[in-house]
Amino acid sequence: MKKVMLYALSTCPFCAMAKKYFTSLQIPFDVVDVDLLKDDEKEVIINEVQRISGRRAFPVIVIENDVIVGYDELRVKEAMEK
Amino acid sequence: MNEREKILCPVCQVSFILKEPKEAGRAIVCPVCGAVLVMVQEGTVWSLTRPAHLSLEEEIHQRVDNFARLRGYHFNEMKEAVVKGLLSKNQRFGDFYCPCRIDNIPENICPCLFTRQGDVEKNGKCHCGLYWK
Ligand SMILES: [Zn+2]
């Protein structure tokens, strides 16, 4: 199984759709709601997101070496099937 | 202020020419961001403030509806989820900051600067999926 990491915000609908997608297909994934983290931890993760995606927008989905900014189901499928 | 003078929108921070007659308490719509605003007079100075007569939920609904109408954008089934995110941002951070961005800064107040600058034309939708072309 591919390693899936989802960086999300608790307030963001596309983030919720991404969570639902992996859950409904029973694909194991790690998820962090960045806005709910404690301040020091939040800074670390935001820097990580910015380094990976070049942006400060969510969701960011990392599937092995593929980085998908925003919820793009087609690109998620492609990355999963690689 | 004469008729050609511009007045500042406290939401999008853009100054625009006021078309309506000046009258304290009159509600108008910002032609740039769609925000509902109320005219206030202090001495000879006129300004616009956020509407105290609307609930937060009514305020954001009217603003996003106005903005979509001004730009010819559409909504889909994601609208209520985004509005819920905007309300929760307002509750936690004091304004309608974009629910899909981490930074709670003026540029990210909905409709955010990217969206006002044409992201919907470029991408077919705004980052959050609220406004669609
Ligand atoms: Zn405005």
Side-chain angles (χ1 to χ4, degrees), chain B residues 15-56:
Chain B
S15 294
F16 61 90
I17 292 166
L18 195 62
K19 289 200 183 78
E20 293 83 352
K22 278 167 279 176
E23 182 193 332
R26 179 191 288 269
I28 62 146
V29 172
C30 170
V32 179
C33 72
V36 177
L37 303 165
V38 175
M39 290 186 201
V40 180
Q41 184 181 24
E42 267 177 275
T44 55
V45 180
W46 287 83
S47 61
L48 296 169
T49 64
R50 298 270 292 273
H53 65 289
L54 296 178
S55 70
L56 287 177

Side-chain angles (χ1 to χ4, degrees), chain A residues 14-42:
Chain A
F14 275 130
C15 300
M17 284 167 74
K19 290 172 192 169
K20 212 169 135 191
Y21 176 84
F22 292 119
T23 307
S24 67
L25 293 178
Q26 299 183 324
I27 298 168
F29 67 108
D30 287 320
V31 58
V32 55
D33 279 323
V34 180
D35 58 323
L36 301 182
L37 296 173
K38 288 199 202 79
D39 282 346
D40 44 346
E41 214 180 346
K42 194 192 290 183

